[in-house]
C-alpha cells in the first residue's frame, strides 16, 4: 500500500507564510495580523501579546502575574527573562522581568513576579493596577542565566529580595523534573514577612532533605533585636562550608553581587560564580562632574539634566517615548547617536565626546551640554 506523502512542517510553514504574504497585500498598508489582532490579540503575529489570567500578592509590595502568551511564544529556560510592554496613561513603557515559573507548567502560561522599587512608576503600576483580562505586548524569553542541562551540579543559590525569581524558576523546574540535587540556598530579605515565595520555599525545605534553605533577615523588627547581618565571607563559611565546591547562582542588588565577586575572585573561583543583574553596575561619579543642557534634535526639545540621571529617564520625564528595553545597558534598544557635546557612561565613568558616537541612553548621563539624535 502506498502511503500518501505527509507535508513536512517546513513546507507547511512556507505555505502559511505564502498565504500570509498574499493576505498582507490586501491589508496594505497594515498587515493581516493587525486585523486579526482586533478579533483576538493573542493571534497577533506582528507584535506578540499575552493576556493576564491571574494576579497573586506574594508580599505587601510584590505580586505574581500569570500570563497566557499568544502565538509564536517559545518556552523559557528556567532563569531567563522576558520583555513586557506596559501602557500607563497613554504612554508605553518597556521593562524586563525574570520568568518565575518553570517551563514544565502544563497550562501554556508563565509568570513574572514584580516587586515595587523605590520611585519605580512601572513596577508600582504592575503591582497595584494590572488586572485579569489585560493584554500586554511581550518579547521572547532571553538571557543566559540558567542551569546547565545535563551536567550534575550542586548549586548554591544566593539571592536577595526579588532576585529570588530566577532561582525560583530553576528550583521549580528541578523539582518538576524530579532531579533536585543537593542544593544550598541563602536568601536575604529585610524581615521574615518580606520573603517572596516564603511558603513554597519553606515547604520545599521541609519536604526535600537535599534542599537547605537559609533565610537571612537583615532588619530589626519587633522582638527581633539582632539582625543576622548582610553577606560576609564569614557568614558564607558558616552557612555553606563547602561553597568552594559548588556552582553559585546569584541575583540581587549591586552591593551584594559586588561582595560575592570579591570573595569568589579572591578564591580564584570566578568561573563558578554566575550572576544575574537587575540593575547596571555604576561607577562612582567624579565630585566635580556637571550635567548640562540636553538637546533632543529630532524632537526639537531642550532639557536641563544633572550628571547622574540617565538620558533615557531625562527624555521620558520630558514627555518623550524613546525606544528602550532592559534599561541596564544590555539590549542596546536605546542606542542613539551623539550629535555634539559630551555624555558620561555611568558604568565606566568614560566620557564620550566624539560626534557620531553611539550612546546607550539608559546608562549614560549628560557631562556638559550635548545634542542627541532623538
Ligand atoms: S534599554 Fe537596553 S541597553 Fe538601554
Amino acid at each position: 500500500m502506498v502511503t500518501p506523502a505527509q507535508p513536512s512542517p517546513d513546507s507547511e510553514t512556507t505555505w502559511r507564510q505564502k498565504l500570509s504574504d498574499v493576505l498582507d497585500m490586501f491589508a496594505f498598508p497594515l498587515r493581516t495580523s493587525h486585523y486579526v489582532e482586533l478579533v483576538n490579540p493573542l493571534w497577533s503575529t506582528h507584535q506578540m501579546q499575552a493576556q493576564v489570567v491571574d494576579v497573586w500578592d506574594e508580599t505587601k509590595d510584590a505580586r505574581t502575574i500569570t500570563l497566557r502568551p499568544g502565538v509564536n511564544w517559545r518556552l523559557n529556560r528556567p532563569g531567563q527573562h522576558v520583555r513586557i510592554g506596559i501602557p500607563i496613561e497613554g504612554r508605553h513603557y518597556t521593562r524586563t522581568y525574570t520568568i518565575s515559573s518553570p517551563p514544565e507548567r502544563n497550562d501554556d502560561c508563565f509568570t513574572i513576579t514584580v516587586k515595587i522599587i523605590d520611585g519605580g512608576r512601572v513596577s508600582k503600576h504592575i503591582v497595584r493596577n494590572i488586572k485579569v483580562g489585560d493584554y500586554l505586548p511581550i518579547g521572547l524569553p532571553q538571557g543566559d542565566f540558567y542551569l546547565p542541562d545535563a551536567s550534575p551540579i550542586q548549586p548554591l543559590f544566593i539571592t536577595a529580595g526579588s532576585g529570588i525569581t530566577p532561582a525560583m524558576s530553576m528550583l521549580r523546574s528541578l523539582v518538576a523534573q524530579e532531579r533536585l540535587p543537593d542544593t544550598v540556598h541563602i536568601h536575604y530579605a529585610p524581615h521574615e514577612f518580606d520573603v517572596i515565595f516564603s511558603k513554597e520555599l519553606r515547604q520545599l525545605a521541609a519536604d526535600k532533605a537535599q534542599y537547605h534553605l537559609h533565610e537571612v533577615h537583615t532588619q530589626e523588627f519587633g522582638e527581633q533585636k539582632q539582625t543576622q547581618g548582610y553577606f560576609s565571607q564569614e557568614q558564607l563559611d558558616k552557612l555553606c562550608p563547602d561553597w568552594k565546591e559548588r556552582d553559585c547562582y546569584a541575583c540581587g542588588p549591586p552591593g551584594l553581587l559586588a561582595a560575592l565577586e570579591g570573595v569568589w575572585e579572591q578564591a580564584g573561583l570566578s568561573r563558578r560564580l554566575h550572576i544575574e543583574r537587575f540593575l547596571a553596575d555604576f561607577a562612582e561619579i567624579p565630585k566635580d562632574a556637571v550635567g548640562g543642557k540636553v538637546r533632543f534634535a529630532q524632537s526639537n526639545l531642550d532639557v536641563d539634566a544633572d550628571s547622574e540621571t540617565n538620558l533615557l529617564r531625562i527624555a521620558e520625564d520630558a514627555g518623550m517615548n524613546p525606544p528602550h528595553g532592559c534599561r541596564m545597558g544590555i539590549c542596546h534598544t536605546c542606542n542613539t547617536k551623539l550629535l555634539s557635546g559630551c555624555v558620561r557612561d555611568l558604568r565606566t565613568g568614560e566620557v564620550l565626546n566624539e560626534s557620531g558616537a553611539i550612546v546607550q541612553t539608559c546608562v549614560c548621563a549628560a557631562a556638559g551640554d550635548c545634542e542627541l539624535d532623538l
Side-chain angles (χ1 to χ4, degrees), residues 112-143:
I112 56 168
T113 303
V114 180
K115 182 172 185 292
I116 296 178
I117 52 173
D118 283 346
R121 61 191 143 193
V122 175
S123 59
K124 190 169 176 194
H125 178 80
I126 292 180
V127 173
R128 298 284 180 247
N129 302 330
I130 290 282
K131 56 186 189 315
V132 170
D134 286 350
Y135 287 93
L136 304 172
I138 56 167
L140 285 170
Q142 288 179 331

Side-chain angles (χ1 to χ4, degrees), residues 91-95 296 299 310-325 327 333-336 361-362 373-374:
R91 290 187 54 194
H92 183 83
Y93 298 86
T94 307
R95 295 291 184 271
F296 296 106
S299 313
N310 67 63
L311 294 161
L312 175 59
R313 185 70 190 248
I314 297 286
E316 287 175 337
D317 287 348
M320 295 169 56
N321 199 3
H324 60 274
R327 303 181 82 90
T333 314
C334 65
N335 281 9
T336 189
T361 57
C362 70
D373 189 19
L374 265 179

Side-chain angles (χ1 to χ4, degrees), residues 167-351:
M168 197 67 220
S169 178
M170 292 176 188
L171 283 169
R172 284 169 167 165
S173 178
L174 290 167
V175 170
Q177 293 176 51
E178 296 182 356
R179 63 179 193 105
L180 180 70
D182 185 89
T183 302
V184 177
H185 188 173
I186 304 174
H187 180 67
Y188 295 84
H191 310 107
E192 198 180 354
F193 50 80
D194 290 314
V195 176
I196 300 173
F197 311 124
S198 57
K199 203 168 161 203
E200 188 175 343
L201 290 171
R202 289 166 198 159
Q203 192 59 52
L204 188 59
D207 291 347
K208 307 276 184 195
Q210 70 272 41
Y211 175 66
H212 313 280
L213 173 66
H214 301 285
E215 288 180 36
V216 183
H217 306 133
T218 54
Q219 287 180 22
E220 293 180 357
F221 181 73
E223 292 301 295
Q224 181 199 334
K225 291 291 178 225
Q226 277 290 310
T227 75
Q228 292 156 279
Y230 292 97
F231 171 82
S232 66
Q233 183 167 349
E234 200 188 350
Q235 189 184 61
L236 176 64
D237 289 336
K238 199 165 129 212
L239 299 179
C240 183
D242 63 350
W243 64 270
K244 289 183 184 163
E245 276 111 63
R246 291 176 181 269
D247 277 279
C248 179
Y249 292 81
C251 185
L256 170 66
L257 300 182
L260 296 178
E261 282 177 317
V263 169
W264 260 258
E265 199 179 313
Q266 216 180 9
L269 292 169
S270 294
R271 73 194 155 76
R272 301 198 81 163
L273 175 65
H274 313 275
I275 276 180
E276 175 79 325
R277 295 180 196 280
F278 283 167
L279 295 171
D281 203 5
F282 288 154
E284 221 165 278
I285 298 172
K287 288 210 170 37
D288 57 353
V290 288
K293 198 168 279 303
V294 181
R295 173 150 187 78
F296 296 106
Q298 288 188 35
S299 313
N300 195 22
L301 260 181
D302 293 286
V303 188
D304 287 326
D306 60 33
S307 59
E308 297 177 9
T309 310
N310 67 63
L311 294 161
L312 175 59
R313 185 70 190 248
I314 297 286
E316 287 175 337
D317 287 348
M320 295 169 56
N321 199 3
H324 60 274
C326 66
R327 303 181 82 90
M328 52 186 289
I330 293 175
C331 70
H332 292 269
T333 314
C334 65
N335 281 9
T336 189
K337 230 186 268 172
L338 180 67
L339 298 178
S340 64
C342 285
V343 302
R344 172 175 282 104
D345 188 319
L346 295 166
R347 297 165 300 179
T348 58
E350 185 196 358
V351 171

